[in-house]
Amino acid sequence: MDIFSLASPLCPHTTTFSASILAGKTHPTTAFCFSSKTSPEPDEPSNSSGHLRRPKTLKPSLNPTPPSPKTTKNPLKNIVNPTISPTNPANLTNKLWLSSQLSPPPPPPPTRPPQETIDDNEVTVSSNLDNLCSDGSPEIEFRQEGKIFVGNLPNWVKKNEVSEFFRQFGPIENVILIKGHNDNQRNAGFGFVIYGGPMASGSAMRAVEFDGVEFHGRVLTVKLDDGRRLRGRSEERARWVQGHGVDQRSKWHEERESSRKDFRKVLETEPENWQAVVQAFERIKKPSRKEFGLMVTYYARRGDMHHARGTFESMRARGIEPTSHVYTSLIHAYAVGRDMEEALSCVRKMKEEGIEMSLVTYSILVGGFAKIADAEAADHWFKEAKERHTTLNAIIYGNIIYAHCQACNMTQAEALVREMEEEGIDAPIDIYHTMMDGYTIIGNEEKCLIVFDRLKECGFTPSVISYGCLINLYIKIGKVSKALEVSKMMEVAGIKHNMKTYSMLINGFVRLKDWANAFAVFEDVVKDGLKPDVVLYNNIIRAFCGMGNMDRAIRTVKEMQKERHRPTTRTFMPIIHGFARSGDMRRALEIFDMMRWSGCIPTVHTFNALILGLVEKCQMEKAVEILDEMSLAGISPNEHTYTTIMHGYASLGDTGKAFEYFTKLKTEGLELDVYTYEALLKACCKSGRMQSALAVTREMSSQKIPRNTFVYNILIDGWARRGDVWEAAELMQQMKQEGVQPDIHTYTSFINACCKAGDMQRATKTIQEMEVVGVKPNIKTYTTLIHGWARASLPEKALKCFQEMKSAGLKPDKAVYHCLMTSLLSRASVAEEYIYSGVVGICREMIECELTVDMGTAVHWSKCLRKIERTGGELTEALQKTFPPDWNSYNIHVNSDDELDVDDAYSGGETDTDDDDDNDDDDPGLSLW
């Protein structure tokens, strides 16, 4: 039982108050008493019911008592400032514990004549609501100073127009327009104007003098507020407090309240069904600020900034002023939509209207700038938040740390983590994940693992996000085997993969061109009962395109559409690129049109995919035609577009065209980066213009663009083409001084320079240096070395190098067999027995691998055989099994004095080790994504 619902018979003079007083309401109802008074006086009337009564009538008695003063304007005034009055039988001084202890209770009030009672079932409201003045008007206590009534207003008029008209009489505090029930977009034709300031009453009187003034074709009724509206509200409130009036609500109010409850229920139970949410909101006949705020917040979470803005403006059009919470929700919508310019315009509007920005508002701003990688702006708002708010929380710290992690500024991120800990703010697990992601971006495996271990030390249980950060780290640094180990750790810990972790693994295998494992992971997704999302479908399509199964990739797109997933431009780009790369421009353009029919608008990246495919097939004329298509579509080429075309002309050695598009790039004000200069250097080195290449490197230095490994590879390969081992060796030394680590392509190009210069001793030392630094030779490295030994007329060394390559676990390709066989055949007529056995053994391996040479190579090898075995023999029989099937239809005549140059024979092969096109696959400047 509630203590405040008990009325003690020992306290007959207590005034009745409900618990609503404690909540700020002002209506007396149920009595509560803490007085030490024991019993009523003999001459005081008592009531067994414990309630105060008043007479049914207000007729004057024969012996009238002096009139009591009117009650004060504020019903709770006696609670705040209790007064001792003989006319107040229910003074509160003896009801407060401290007051009764500090001062004696007041003398009892004079006795009053007995009053008639009424039935117990009859409930009354406070007498001060029923007292009327002599003229029948409401008491003056309900009148608000400076408030006037304005009637006969046009239904379409807005608050600002009314305020602008009545502002001539004095400063206005507020304008209240009463909305119509049936059409809440229009007002009911009347309202109130409240003047402010010390001269509010005078302003109201001046306005009343203009009663009957014409306003937009209407004759206005302007009167002083008589308090009727406030009195009506007070009476209604009193009836509700007394328990009456519950059934007096109109049907309109009941329907409105029901629709508001339905709206909140839909928001909680079906947030993903935006149509249901919008329909539930539209069913509310007259939404309040709360419903508008909830709708803006809903759109904000979806990132639908246009509908959020529309809802916000609709709220203002109805005369509802936004609060800090509503403004924050609108700013959140723009932040999710990554339109920070509009978000800042909302901030400026808040400041103009004098609305204080909360810590949540600052946190959203910092997080919004973090998403668009603007760490400087995020830092600015973070500092302002520190100035305005004495205490910060972990959320805003997490957002600013995320901003610096995305900007690769891990030093500042670490400093912020220390600052947060010094402030006594415990870092949640999300901040650990943010730091791990930051170290993943910069490829720092060691510190990422340290954060993961610290996470466990602090009592957090690693989640799928924690393991996902590690998988992402190893995928990005190329350690897919380590990523699989982390995957097994997840299974041991009982954590299941989600779509993101599966997508990471598939992406890692696609990068390694390990199609089998990529599809095996996809099968695991299906087994786990997960439905592939757009990202996973895109990775599978890339896998099909990588293995050349274009039809299967197209069927995957159609399957994706059946599952109601909307393809993106990233879905179609690998297919377009695949067809363009194979030279099938008709199919590429068909997929281009299919992309448009799917609702995807072509972007500059889509056109770049077409251009890249044509460039890789050296179809430069068609690639340039795509630029005209871009102009017709209203899409401007970007840096990547021109750089790709420059790389295409560089592969052809067309320095003039490469410099022409470099000039276009500069003229259009596009950014010059290291990949642009790589294309220029490649063109110069391919054409042998090394002095021009040096001029390009000097311009790079003036633009403060550092030289990376790819730039040095191009320069070293350029000097290797000329056989200038000294310049190549100087570049190798310069790399080490600048801290640029040589890779496998760098060492291979330098070995090629040594071989062309005939310095096989330096080439051998380079192989040993590679083993020391942990760089393993690849197929091309061994091919270049075998070619060098062949040029040096040392086939036995070439054969030994071939055996070392197989011992290293490398599988020889056609280029290796071609180079080695040419070397052995050139010395077979004068060499020892082991060369014969080597030739026979290599022929046997080629037959087992089903390798055949081209007709040009067969002609060269046939000339060598006629010198060794003029009438045929074991070598001829073994070697002819590697010739083309139509070899016998050729009539070959070889003169006895024909000489076979090993270098010419090698250059007539299918693979040129001097060509640096293989390096393009490892150059990020040429990568599509």
Side-chain angles (χ1 to χ4, degrees):
M1 181 178 292
D2 192 351
I3 186 173
F4 298 112
S5 64
L6 298 176
S8 172
L10 301 180
C11 307
H13 297 293
T14 57
T15 303
T16 56
F17 286 87
S18 69
S20 62
I21 292 179
L22 302 180
K25 299 182 181 179
T26 63
H27 312 294
T29 54
T30 310
F32 62 94
C33 174
F34 297 99
S35 175
S36 59
K37 205 168 184 179
T38 58
S39 62
E41 295 295 330
D43 56 347
E44 293 181 357
S46 61
N47 194 319
S48 61
S49 63
H51 293 280
L52 294 177
R53 303 297 183 191
R54 69 176 177 84
K56 291 182 179 180
T57 63
L58 297 176
K59 296 179 180 180
S61 60
L62 296 176
N63 298 318
T65 58
S68 61
K70 296 178 181 178
T71 58
T72 58
K73 181 177 180 180
N74 184 1
L76 293 182
K77 186 174 181 181
N78 290 335
I79 296 179
V80 180
N81 297 312
T83 57
I84 302 174
S85 172
T87 62
N88 186 5
N91 194 279
L92 292 181
T93 306
N94 60 343
K95 307 300 184 296
L96 305 178
W97 288 357
L98 292 179
S99 300
S100 62
Q101 299 295 327
L102 295 176
S103 59
T111 60
R112 299 178 63 181
Q115 297 177 343
E116 298 182 12
T117 61
I118 60 176
D119 296 337
D120 292 340
N121 294 330
E122 181 180 355
V123 183
T124 62
V125 295
S126 180
S127 60
N128 63 345
L129 299 179
D130 293 333
N131 292 335
L132 299 176
C133 298
S134 59
D135 58 355
S137 61
E139 286 192 17
I140 195 171
E141 65 174 281
F142 290 107
R143 295 175 181 172
Q144 184 175 350
E145 186 178 1
K147 184 176 180 180
I148 62 174
F149 168 82
V150 182
N152 201 29
L153 286 168
N155 298 99
W156 49 263
V157 78
K158 302 296 181 183
K159 288 176 61 175
N160 58 341
E161 298 177 78
V162 177
S163 176
E164 183 180 355
F165 179 78
F166 284 95
R167 176 63 180 84
Q168 58 185 312
F169 306 114
I172 294 177
E173 181 180 323
N174 192 14
V175 174
I176 302 173
L177 292 182
I178 307 302
K179 298 291 183 181
H181 286 314
N182 297 327
D183 187 3
N184 49 28
Q185 297 291 339
R186 301 163 70 89
N187 62 71
F190 65 94
F192 300 90
V193 177
I194 303 173
Y195 287 96
M199 303 297 294
S201 58
S203 300
M205 292 299 297
R206 285 193 296 272
V208 169
E209 293 175 1
F210 284 81
D211 181 26
V213 69
E214 184 177 350
F215 178 72
H216 288 292
R218 296 286 190 95
V219 177
L220 297 184
T221 300
V222 185
K223 296 181 179 180
L224 285 176
D225 177 40
D226 57 4
R228 185 179 305 166
R229 181 167 175 265
L230 288 180
R231 182 179 185 278
R233 291 177 63 181
S234 299
E235 291 176 347
E236 183 180 1
R237 185 183 298 117
R239 286 195 298 271
W240 276 90
V241 170
Q242 293 288 354
H244 291 262
V246 177
D247 298 330
Q248 297 179 8
R249 300 192 68 183
S250 66
K251 185 178 179 181
W252 185 90
H253 283 91
E254 292 177 356
E255 292 177 353
R256 177 173 180 259
E257 186 63 28
S258 176
S259 59
R260 293 170 71 180
K261 290 180 179 178
D262 291 342
F263 171 63
R264 294 191 184 96
K265 183 178 179 180
V266 172
L267 272 180
E268 294 173 358
T269 58
E270 301 180 66
E272 69 284 349
N273 189 352
W274 66 271
Q275 291 177 331
V277 173
V278 172
Q279 290 173 1
F281 176 73
E282 290 176 347
R283 281 195 293 268
I284 304 176
K285 294 183 178 180
K286 191 177 180 181
S288 64
R289 181 187 288 111
K290 186 173 183 179
E291 280 77 40
F292 276 112
L294 289 174
M295 201 63 200
V296 174
T297 304
Y298 175 75
Y299 283 128
R301 290 174 179 172
R302 291 175 56 88
D304 192 349
M305 51 188 176
H306 302 295
H307 282 93
R309 187 74 190 196
T311 306
F312 179 83
E313 294 299 336
S314 176
M315 181 187 70
R316 300 200 74 162
R318 295 186 181 214
I320 303 174
E321 295 299 328
T323 61
S324 175
H325 175 73
V326 180
Y327 264 118
T328 301
S329 297
L330 184 60
I331 293 171
H332 184 208
Y334 284 118
V336 175
R338 305 194 176 210
D339 189 352
M340 296 309 296
E341 289 296 328
E342 287 295 329
L344 291 180
S345 69
C346 293
V347 171
R348 289 191 290 269
K349 193 69 176 175
M350 285 181 71
K351 293 183 176 180
E352 289 174 4
E353 296 179 5
I355 300 175
E356 186 178 355
M357 294 173 60
S358 65
L359 185 59
V360 178
T361 313
Y362 283 110
S363 182
I364 290 173
L365 285 173
V366 173
F369 282 111
K371 288 179 181 177
I372 63 174
D374 191 348
E376 184 177 353
D379 209 38
H380 164 75
W381 290 104
F382 178 74
K383 290 178 180 177
E384 183 173 319
K386 290 175 68 176
E387 294 173 358
R388 299 289 180 87
H389 298 274
T390 55
T391 58
L392 304 181
N393 56 23
I395 297 175
I396 191 169
Y397 268 109
N399 288 337
I400 189 63
I401 290 171
Y402 175 76
H404 287 289
C405 287
Q406 293 300 305
C408 301
N409 189 3
M410 297 307 297
T411 304
Q412 182 63 24
E414 292 169 359
L416 287 167
V417 171
R418 287 193 297 269
E419 178 184 325
M420 184 178 66
E421 292 175 349
E422 291 172 358
E423 293 290 334
I425 301 174
D426 294 331
I429 193 171
D430 293 338
I431 292 183
Y432 288 93
H433 295 158
T434 301
M435 294 296 291
M436 291 176 68
D437 186 58
Y439 289 125
T440 298
I441 293 174
I442 64 175
N444 193 330
E445 178 184 0
E446 180 183 359
K447 287 197 173 182
C448 186
L449 292 175
I450 290 174
V451 176
F452 182 75
D453 293 336
R454 186 66 58 84
L455 180 149
K456 293 186 290 186
E457 291 173 2
C458 292
F460 292 107
T461 302
S463 63
V464 64
I465 301 176
S466 311
Y467 288 108
C469 291
L470 289 181
I471 292 174
N472 190 31
L473 167 70
Y474 288 122
I475 292 297
K476 286 195 173 182
I477 63 178
K479 297 182 179 180
V480 182
S481 58
K482 290 273 190 179
L484 290 176
E485 291 179 8
V486 176
S487 176
K488 293 178 181 178
M489 289 170 57
M490 287 179 62
E491 295 175 359
V492 172
I495 299 175
K496 293 183 178 181
H497 284 276
N498 58 15
M499 293 306 304
K500 288 189 176 181
T501 54
Y502 275 129
S503 297
M504 291 173 190
L505 291 173
I506 292 176
N507 186 35
F509 286 120
V510 168
R511 286 186 178 186
L512 295 178
K513 299 181 180 180
D514 189 348
W515 319 120
N517 278 320
F519 292 121
V521 175
F522 183 74
E523 291 176 359
D524 290 340
V525 174
V526 178
K527 288 179 182 178
D528 288 350
L530 299 175
K531 291 186 177 181
D533 57 2
V534 176
V535 177
L536 193 65
Y537 273 120
N538 289 349
N539 285 332
I540 290 298
I541 290 170
R542 282 180 60 199
F544 281 125
C545 293
M547 62 189 299
N549 194 345
M550 307 302 296
D551 293 333
R552 188 67 183 90
I554 295 173
R555 287 201 299 271
T556 305
V557 174
K558 294 178 180 178
E559 179 185 343
M560 182 179 177
Q561 291 173 327
K562 286 181 181 178
E563 295 293 331
R564 297 185 177 274
H565 291 295
R566 184 179 177 181
T568 63
T569 53
R570 284 184 174 269
T571 308
F572 293 99
M573 274 200 295
I575 306 177
I576 295 171
H577 175 250
F579 281 126
R581 188 173 187 177
S582 63
D584 193 349
M585 286 302 300
R586 183 184 63 83
R587 296 290 301 276
L589 293 175
E590 286 178 0
I591 300 300
F592 195 81
D593 292 336
M594 178 182 175
M595 180 187 69
R596 283 176 165 169
W597 280 106
S598 299
C600 298
I601 301 174
T603 62
V604 65
H605 306 291
T606 316
F607 285 105
N608 287 348
L610 281 172
I611 293 173
L612 181 60
L614 293 169
V615 164
E616 290 176 348
K617 295 297 292 183
C618 296
Q619 298 182 15
M620 296 307 301
E621 292 182 2
K622 292 184 178 180
V624 173
E625 290 175 1
I626 300 297
L627 293 178
D628 299 330
E629 294 288 337
M630 293 178 68
S631 300
L632 290 175
I635 298 175
S636 301
N638 61 4
E639 299 90 343
H640 189 79
T641 311
Y642 287 123
T643 302
T644 303
I645 293 177
M646 288 170 61
H647 272 286
Y649 283 117
S651 299
L652 299 176
D654 193 340
T655 310
K657 286 288 186 181
F659 273 95
E660 177 184 339
Y661 283 95
F662 177 76
T663 305
K664 281 187 179 181
L665 195 149
K666 291 179 67 177
T667 304
E668 295 182 11
L670 299 175
E671 183 181 359
L672 299 175
D673 55 13
V674 65
Y675 307 117
T676 309
Y677 285 105
E678 282 178 12
L680 278 183
L681 289 171
K682 185 177 178 181
C684 295
C685 294
K686 191 87 172 180
S687 60
R689 298 174 58 178
M690 296 307 298
Q691 296 303 320
S692 299
L694 293 177
V696 172
T697 57
R698 285 194 292 270
E699 184 175 343
M700 287 180 65
S701 300
S702 64
Q703 295 289 337
K704 295 183 180 179
I705 298 177
R707 288 183 279 186
N708 58 16
T709 305
F710 301 104
V711 172
Y712 276 110
N713 289 350
I714 294 170
L715 291 172
I716 292 172
D717 186 73
W719 290 115
R721 290 173 184 273
R722 301 179 62 172
D724 195 336
V725 69
W726 301 106
E727 291 288 349
E730 185 177 348
L731 285 171
M732 289 285 290
Q733 190 67 25
Q734 200 172 25
M735 279 185 76
K736 297 174 183 177
Q737 291 175 355
E738 294 182 3
V740 181
Q741 294 297 324
D743 60 6
I744 182 63
H745 303 292
T746 314
Y747 285 111
T748 302
S749 296
F750 184 68
I751 290 171
N752 188 28
C754 297
C755 293
K756 287 222 174 162
D759 193 351
M760 296 307 298
Q761 184 178 2
R762 180 174 287 189
T764 305
K765 288 182 179 180
T766 304
I767 292 290
Q768 295 172 356
E769 181 183 341
M770 290 173 63
E771 295 176 356
V772 172
V773 298
V775 178
K776 294 182 179 180
N778 59 11
I779 291 289
K780 190 170 182 179
T781 310
Y782 280 111
T783 304
T784 304
L785 199 58
I786 290 171
H787 183 212
W789 290 118
R791 286 171 60 93
S793 299
L794 294 172
E796 61 277 6
K797 292 282 189 180
L799 190 59
K800 181 181 178 182
C801 185
F802 177 75
Q803 297 299 332
E804 290 177 355
M805 180 183 66
K806 291 196 296 183
S807 300
L810 298 175
K811 185 178 180 180
D813 58 4
K814 188 182 289 189
V816 176
Y817 284 120
H818 171 268
C819 181
L820 183 59
M821 184 64 74
T822 303
S823 174
L824 294 177
L825 290 176
S826 66
R827 299 286 294 173
S829 59
V830 295
E832 292 121 8
E833 181 64 25
Y834 76 91
I835 292 185
Y836 285 91
S837 60
V839 172
V840 174
I842 293 172
C843 288
R844 190 179 299 112
E845 289 183 19
M846 291 179 68
I847 294 169
E848 291 175 356
C849 296
E850 298 181 354
L851 294 177
T852 57
V853 297
D854 57 45
M855 191 59 67
T857 304
V859 170
H860 283 293
W861 288 359
S862 177
K863 292 179 180 180
C864 294
L865 285 174
R866 288 188 177 275
K867 290 183 180 181
I868 301 170
E869 297 178 344
R870 292 185 176 274
T871 59
E874 182 183 3
L875 287 179
T876 303
E877 182 180 355
L879 199 59
Q880 284 186 349
K881 291 181 180 179
T882 64
F883 288 179
D886 55 348
W887 164 253
N888 293 327
S889 63
Y890 277 81
N891 205 0
I892 302 176
H893 302 282
V894 182
N895 296 326
S896 60
D897 56 349
D898 285 344
E899 294 293 336
L900 179 64
D901 182 69
V902 176
D903 205 22
D904 294 338
Y906 180 79
S907 61
E910 297 179 1
T911 304
D912 184 4
T913 55
D914 294 342
D915 192 2
D916 60 347
D917 290 344
D918 291 343
N919 292 348
D920 295 347
D921 295 336
D922 301 292
D923 189 348
L926 284 179
S927 60
L928 187 59
W929 298 280

